[in-house]
Amino acid sequence: MSSDTAFFLAQKAFGNHGRAVYVSGMAETPLIRPRRLRRTEALRTMVRETSVGPDDLIYPLFVEEEIDAPVPVKAMPGVVRLPEKHLAKEIKAIQADGVKAIMMFGVSHHKDATGSNSLKSDGLLSRMIKRAKDASPELVVIADICFCEYTDHGHCGVVEKGAVHNDKTLVNLAQQAVMAVRAGADMVAPSAMMDGQVRAIRHALDDAGMEDAPIMAYSSKMASAFYGPFRSAAGCSLKGDRKDYQMDPMNGREALRESLLDEAEGADILMVKPGLAYLDVLARLREKTLLPIAVYQVSGEYAMIKFAAQAGALDEKRIVLETLGAFKRAGADLILTYFARELARDGV
Ligand code: PBG
């Protein structure tokens, strides 16, 4: 078709009205134009479906006993192990930056077979919770309930005959949860992936008169390679793996079953972990529960973004918002992320 003919046909088709009339062989003028609402930032903001703000975020941090200066975590640029003795000052600064909730991981210098440094009232777990709550009573302090940071073998519970013994570990998890709440924790978050752990902890808390302490269950937790940097950050390198208690990353249906079991056992919040590689689990779980759901953007996800940004391959701030937005869109109410402090401080 010559350009003259095309011009003629177009005139004929659009006439004076500038409206669409079907012309064979020509593009049809759309009646429906989603772009109308994308024309300005003001319009885009008005119709934005998802937002991420400081109220949604939980900031994980690493606290090491018996050190004098922060230790950078090489695999997680920007993350340090905080000295226990600086904790009060750091917690105040973190709260001043706008962080609303934290989850602390202890880096123990006194590991043993049972992880007793997390079970004693003067042990690291209790001390760091007390220090944090004394420094900033309004900050929500969530205690990770697990043993891998405190045991010399690096497993999440009591090892017997080369495997983690489920029911003996339940007794210790329940005791650790009571210790954590007694020290001042606002919430406990069992992450050992033992069968029945939520129920065991709920009963123990209730028996101790702590019936108001909520449980955020790490309910769909995969045996994931994305935890690699965490293990060096928390100093819990491990011989072997956790495949006989954490979930097979190939299983989506089972991930739902695990979460729904935790709900039936009395969990107040469910969690999917890791985040980005498990958005399908998150979205499907959203359809199956009315409980709040948390998602954990884990150490390996953080490292991928940081290193790619450092190499100049990605725009860090935009990638962070895009990934956190994906979690919210898929159905998460809460996000655990090592970016929480920066986001709270610099705005989202
Ligand atoms: C267990 C625990 C782990 C993480 C959070 N809690 C390690 C594991 O299960 O091996 C990983 C978090 C991360 O990778 O950022 N205490």
Side-chain angles (χ1 to χ4, degrees):
M1 191 194 293
S2 78
S3 60
D4 279 355
T5 321
F7 181 71
F8 171 74
L9 284 175
Q11 266 201 328
K12 200 170 149 200
F14 292 105
N16 293 328
H17 314 293
R19 249 191 268 119
V21 179
Y22 179 73
V23 178
S24 164
M26 291 201 49
E28 198 172 338
T29 310
L31 285 173
I32 297 168
R33 296 178 183 269
R35 286 183 58 190
R36 286 181 190 124
L37 297 177
R38 293 180 203 144
R39 287 176 55 242
T40 65
E41 183 58 15
L43 284 171
R44 289 191 291 271
T45 314
M46 280 175 74
V47 297
R48 188 159 293 146
E49 297 171 35
T50 312
S51 65
V52 181
D55 291 338
D56 311 321
L57 305 179
I58 300 167
Y59 183 44
L61 40 127
F62 301 97
V63 181
E64 182 162 1
E65 60 186 346
E66 297 162 12
I67 58 167
D68 296 316
V71 179
V73 178
K74 281 205 192 74
M76 301 175 72
V79 171
V80 297
R81 294 180 182 177
L82 292 170
E84 185 194 352
K85 49 185 82 152
H86 297 174
L87 194 56
K89 195 179 92 212
E90 285 294 336
I91 290 290
K92 285 186 181 137
I94 286 165
Q95 195 191 16
D97 279 343
V99 171
K100 304 278 167 67
I102 60 168
M103 167 105 96
M104 284 187 289
F105 297 102
V107 184
S108 170
H109 287 200
H110 302 278
K111 299 185 184 211
D112 57 22
T114 53
S116 61
N117 205 4
S118 68
L119 291 171
K120 293 186 280 195
S121 59
D122 59 350
L124 174 59
L125 179 79
S126 289
R127 292 197 314 266
M128 64 187 189
I129 293 170
K130 273 187 207 131
R131 284 182 200 274
K133 284 307 289 186
D134 285 350
S136 289
E138 280 107 76
L139 193 69
V140 175
V141 171
I142 306 171
D144 181 79
I145 300 300
C146 195
F147 285 96
C148 56
E149 300 117 71
Y150 303 99
T151 52
D152 49 15
H153 45 69
H155 276 290
C156 300
V158 180
V159 176
E160 235 177 60
K161 297 191 196 115
V164 177
H165 191 290
N166 193 86
D167 298 8
K168 288 186 182 168
T169 301
L170 291 184
V171 177
N172 291 0
L173 287 168
Q175 191 185 337
Q176 196 191 83
V178 170
M179 293 305 304
V181 175
R182 189 165 292 150
D186 298 288
M187 197 185 298
V188 292
S191 73
M193 285 304 277
M194 294 299 123
D195 293 336
Q197 64 184 11
V198 171
R199 178 165 170 261
I201 288 171
R202 184 72 271 157
H203 280 164
L205 293 174
D206 291 357
D207 287 350
M210 299 165 174
E211 63 279 351
D212 290 333
I215 299 175
M216 176 166 73
Y218 284 74
S219 52
S220 300
K221 179 172 176 180
M222 307 294 163
S224 169
F226 281 104
Y227 309 151
F230 176 92
R231 304 229 168 123
S232 61
C236 55
S237 51
L238 151 91
K239 283 190 212 82
D241 57 51
R242 306 197 201 286
K243 290 182 188 164
D244 75 333
Y245 42 105
Q246 297 182 347
M247 279 194 49
D248 184 340
M250 297 299 132
N251 292 359
R253 249 180 10 238
E254 189 193 359
L256 300 180
R257 180 165 183 251
E258 281 279 10
S259 274
L260 297 178
L261 275 171
D262 282 2
E263 173 165 3
E265 288 183 23
D268 301 282
I269 300 175
L270 302 176
M271 192 200 296
V272 174
K273 176 183 173 204
L276 207 54
Y278 299 91
L279 287 174
D280 59 324
V281 173
L282 185 55
R284 288 163 72 191
L285 184 59
R286 181 69 290 161
E287 302 293 316
K288 296 221 179 278
T289 183
L290 299 177
L291 291 183
I293 305 178
V295 63
Y296 200 141
Q297 183 178 52
V298 301
S299 55
E301 298 176 72
Y302 174 87
M304 289 200 306
I305 294 173
K306 276 283 176 188
F307 285 116
Q310 281 184 358
L314 295 177
D315 177 331
E316 179 175 323
K317 184 143 193 178
R318 291 185 59 201
I319 290 289
V320 171
L321 285 182
E322 200 169 323
T323 53
L324 302 192
F327 298 142
K328 292 293 296 284
R329 209 177 58 236
D333 303 286
L334 297 167
I335 305 169
L336 293 107
T337 173
Y338 300 94
F339 293 110
R341 186 175 183 179
E342 271 170 66
L343 286 171
R345 187 186 51 217
D346 304 338
V348 179

